[in-house]
Amino acid sequence: NVAFGDLELDLREAEVSKKGAKIHLNCAFGDVDVFVPKKCRVKTSGSVVLGEWEPQIKERDVSEPVLEIKGSVIFGSVKIRD
């Protein structure tokens, strides 16, 4: 959870379990940048109130493991990047 601040979550060197992994993000009046590993499939969904939920992930040939990122944004932004 992020409120009135910023967070950079760098997972580029992380290894996702074969069973997959889930991250739940809540952001209010702040910004979150998530950098995801390249060796997994990424699924995202977020609800937004006067902000943005912006996946900026290139297409991948990997079907699993799956990293699922869900959450909500109020007056802020969440960017999910390679």
Side-chain angles (χ1 to χ4, degrees), residues 34-71:
V34 180
F35 295 92
V36 296
K38 294 187 186 279
K39 295 181 181 179
C40 68
R41 191 174 95 190
V42 179
K43 293 171 58 176
T44 72
S45 64
S47 59
V48 178
V49 175
L50 296 174
E52 66 179 335
W53 180 279
E54 189 175 344
Q56 300 173 344
I57 304 165
K58 295 177 184 163
E59 191 85 20
R60 297 169 182 209
D61 292 333
V62 179
S63 61
E64 52 183 41
V66 176
L67 174 60
E68 186 175 355
I69 303 173
K70 292 184 174 185

Side-chain angles (χ1 to χ4, degrees), residues 27 29-33 51-54 73-79:
C27 177
F29 300 96
D31 298 309
V32 176
D33 289 311
E52 66 179 335
W53 180 279
E54 189 175 344
V73 181
I74 300 172
F75 293 102
S77 72
V78 171
K79 294 181 181 163

